[in-house]
C-alpha cells in the first residue's frame, strides 16, 4: 500500500442542530434553534437510515453513520488505508431558504469540523461549507476560513438554485481561485427544482440515476459561460458523479461546440480539452464495466490520468470489502490518483502537511 493515500471524500455527520451545532451558533441563532426546535436538517439526498448512507459495519450503535470520530478514524484510516482524508459535511445548511440562517449554520459547521475533527487528528482536512444561496455571504465565509490551510476546498451541491456558470456566482469562483480552493461539486440537491430535466421521479432509484445529468449540466455551464477562461487557475472536483458517462459526454460536447461555437466565441478550445485541464472526478462510485478491458477503454477514452482522485466515500456504501480502489485500474493510475493527483488538485494540502 502506498505511503500516501489521500481520500478525497469522506463524510462526517452532524449529529443534529441542537445536539452538535448549538455551541457554534451566535446567541440569536441559539435562541432560534431552541425556541423553534430546529433539528434534523439532513438532506433527503442522504437520509441516515437509507442503506446507501452507511454500510452495516460502519454504523455506530447510536446516531448517524459518520457521527463518531473514533469510528471514522478506524474505518477511513485503519480499515481502508487512507493516510489523509478530506471531510465533506453534507447537511441542510446548504439547502435552507433563509440566507442568514444558511450562513449561520454554514459557519457553525465549519467551526465544528475545525474544533472537533481537524484539531483532533492531523490527518484530516475539510471543505468549506458555504451558503451559495447568497454569493456575498458565501464569499464572507470563504474569506473567514481562508487563513486556515486545513480547509482545502469549497463544497457545493450538484443541484442548486441555478447553474454554477451563471455570472452572479463569479465572485465566489474568483475568491476560490484567489485562495487556491478547488470547487467540490458533490452529489445532492437543494430541491429548488425537479432532479430530472423533465420533472419529478416516482422513485429514489430514478433520482439517483439522474444525478449524472446534474453534473453534466454544471460542467457545460462552467465551460460555456466562460468561467475557466475568466479564472484559469480554478479546478472543479466532481464528487460521487460516477465516471463512465464522461467519454460519450466529452465526445458530444466537442461535436456540438464545433457546430455552434459562433455563439460562444470565448470558448476557444474543445470542451474535452478544458475538461481535462479543469475537471477532476472522485473514483467512488466507479460505475465502469466489470472487466479489465472495459475499464481500460473508459480510462483511455477520457484521455487523462490526471483527472482521477481516490475516494472511499466513507461511510456511504459504494463498495463491499476493505479496498476502496476500484478493480482493474492500472497500477500507475492507482499511484497517481492516491497521491500526485490530489496534491495537484488541492494545493493547500501541501501547505498544511
Amino acid at each position: 500500500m502506498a505511503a500516501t493515500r489521500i481520500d478525497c471524500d469522506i463524510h462526517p455527520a452532524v449529529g443534529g442542530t441542537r445536539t452538535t451545532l448549538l455551541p457554534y451558533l451566535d446567541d440569536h441563532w441559539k435562541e432560534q434553534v431552541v425556541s423553534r426546535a430546529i433539528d434534523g436538517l439532513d438532506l433527503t439526498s442522504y437520509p441516515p437510515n437509507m442503506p446507501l448512507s452507511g454500510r452495516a459495519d460502519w454504523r455506530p450503535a447510536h446516531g448517524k453513520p459518520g457521527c463518531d470520530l473514533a469510528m471514522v478514524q478506524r474505518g477511513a484510516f485503519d480499515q481502508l488505508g487512507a493516510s489523509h482524508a478530506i471531510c465533506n459535511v453534507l447537511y441542510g445548511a446548504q439547502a435552507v431558504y433563509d440566507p442568514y440562517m444558511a450562513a449561520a449554520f454554514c459557519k457553525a459547521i465549519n467551526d465544528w469540523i475545525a474544533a472537533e475533527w481537524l484539531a483532533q487528528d492531523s490527518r484530516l482536512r475539510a471543505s468549506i461549507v458555504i451558503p451559495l444561496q447568497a454569493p456575498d455571504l458565501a464569499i464572507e465565509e470563504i474569506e473567514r476560513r481562508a487563513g486556515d490551510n486545513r480547509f482545502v476546498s469549497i463544497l457545493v451541491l450538484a443541484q442548486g438554485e441555478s447553474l454554477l456558470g451563471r455570472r452572479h456566482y463569479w465572485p465566489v469562483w474568483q475568491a476560490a481561485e484567489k485562495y487556491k480552493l478547488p470547487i467540490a461539486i458533490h452529489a445532492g440537491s437543494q430541491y429548488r427544482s425537479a432532479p430530472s430535466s423533465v420533472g419529478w421521479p416516482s422513485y429514489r432509484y430514478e433520482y439517483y440515476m439522474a444525478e449524472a445529468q446534474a453534473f453534466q449540466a454544471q460542467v457545460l455551464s462552467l465551460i460555456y459561460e466562460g468561467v475557466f477562461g475568466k479564472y484559469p487557475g480554478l479546478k472543479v472536483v466532481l464528487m460521487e458523479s460516477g465516471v463512465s458517462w464522461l467519454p460519450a459526454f466529452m465526445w458530444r460536447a466537442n461535436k456540438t461546440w464545433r457546430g455552434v461555437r459562433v455563439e460562444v466565441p470565448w470558448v476557444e478550445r474543445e470542451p474535452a480539452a478544458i475538461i481535462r485541464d479543469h475537471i477532476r472526478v472522485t473514483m467512488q462510485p466507479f460505475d465502469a464495466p466489470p472487466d479489465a478491458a472495459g475499464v481500460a477503454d473508459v480510462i483511455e477514452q477520457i484521455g487523462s490520468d490526471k483527472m482521477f482522485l481516490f475516494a472511499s466515500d466513507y461511510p456511504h456504501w459504494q463498495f463491499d470489502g476493505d479496498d476502496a480502489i476500484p478493480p482493474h485500474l492500472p497500477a500507475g493510475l492507482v499511484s497517481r490518483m492516491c497521491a500526485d493527483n490530489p496534491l495537484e488538485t488541492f494545493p493547500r494540502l501541501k501547505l498544511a502537511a
Side-chain angles (χ1 to χ4, degrees), residues 23-92:
Y24 300 97
L25 294 166
D26 63 29
D27 290 342
H28 169 76
W29 288 108
K30 284 179 181 177
E31 189 277 330
Q32 291 290 299
V33 164
V34 173
S35 65
R36 295 164 59 183
I38 298 172
D39 208 354
L41 293 179
D42 296 284
L43 292 165
T44 54
S45 310
Y46 295 95
N49 292 329
M50 180 181 66
L52 174 67
S53 295
R55 211 167 79 176
D57 58 326
W58 294 341
R59 289 181 176 273
H62 304 284
K64 306 169 187 174
C67 71
D68 181 79
L69 173 59
M71 191 170 188
V72 172
Q73 289 168 317
R74 289 194 299 271
F77 296 128
D78 301 338
Q79 183 181 5
L80 301 179
S83 61
H84 301 80
I86 300 173
C87 301
N88 293 302
V89 182
L90 301 173
Y91 197 56

Side-chain angles (χ1 to χ4, degrees), residues 113-122 150:
I113 202 74
E116 299 191 28
W117 289 71
L118 306 187
Q120 304 304 315
D121 194 326
S122 62
R150 298 174 302 175

Side-chain angles (χ1 to χ4, degrees), residues 14-23 33 38-39 64 91 112 116:
V14 175
T17 302
R18 283 180 287 176
T19 56
T20 302
L21 299 184
L22 198 64
V33 164
I38 298 172
D39 208 354
K64 306 169 187 174
Y91 197 56
W112 163 73
E116 299 191 28

Side-chain angles (χ1 to χ4, degrees), residues 111-338:
D111 290 351
W112 163 73
I113 202 74
E116 299 191 28
W117 289 71
L118 306 187
Q120 304 304 315
D121 194 326
S122 62
R123 298 171 293 181
L124 292 173
R125 308 290 187 269
S127 293
I128 303 173
V129 179
I130 61 170
L132 201 58
Q133 304 92 320
D136 58 327
L137 299 179
I139 293 168
E140 286 183 13
E141 185 60 17
I142 291 169
E143 292 179 339
R144 192 182 72 89
R145 272 295 169 189
D148 186 344
N149 286 320
R150 298 174 302 175
F151 287 90
V152 298
S153 53
I154 296 167
L155 185 66
V156 302
L157 297 177
Q159 299 185 48
E161 293 186 336
S162 61
L163 290 167
L164 295 175
R166 301 298 295 273
R167 296 185 72 91
H168 58 271
Y169 292 131
W170 283 23
V172 181
W173 312 149
Q174 182 180 31
E177 182 188 48
K178 174 183 176 181
Y179 294 112
K180 299 182 179 179
L181 290 159
I183 305 301
I185 304 176
H186 199 286
S189 178
Q190 291 178 292
Y191 291 99
R192 302 299 197 261
S193 58
S196 160
S197 60
V198 291
W200 292 92
S202 300
Y203 305 102
R204 197 185 186 286
Y205 177 79
E206 297 173 82
Y207 159 75
Y208 196 68
M209 288 291 290
E211 285 278 12
Q213 299 174 19
F215 284 103
Q216 293 169 18
Q218 298 295 13
V219 170
L220 285 181
S221 176
L222 291 165
I223 292 172
Y224 284 109
E225 294 276 0
V227 170
F228 296 123
K230 182 69 172 179
Y231 308 110
L234 187 67
K235 291 287 194 298
V236 170
V237 181
L238 309 183
M239 294 189 166
E240 290 188 43
S241 64
V243 175
S244 61
W245 55 268
L246 272 164
F249 173 78
M250 294 165 75
W251 177 85
R252 188 173 182 181
N254 278 359
K255 179 178 183 296
T256 305
W257 171 78
R258 294 187 192 105
V260 298
R261 59 183 294 189
V262 66
E263 184 184 15
V264 286
W266 50 85
V267 182
E268 299 175 344
R269 297 188 295 151
E270 289 185 332
I274 298 173
I275 289 170
R276 293 184 184 106
D277 284 347
H278 292 276
I279 303 296
R280 303 293 181 259
V281 293
T282 60
M283 295 292 272
Q284 284 295 348
F286 187 59
D287 52 348
D291 60 288
V295 170
D297 285 344
V298 170
I299 300 301
E300 180 183 5
Q301 290 163 3
I302 290 173
S304 172
D305 62 359
K306 295 181 178 181
M307 288 182 60
F308 307 109
L309 303 174
F310 169 68
S312 69
D313 196 27
Y314 181 95
H316 295 168
W317 191 2
Q318 304 285 9
F319 62 93
D320 293 313
D322 292 344
D323 193 357
I325 301 290
H328 307 306
L329 293 179
L333 178 59
V334 171
S335 177
R336 279 203 64 91
M337 76 182 201
C338 287

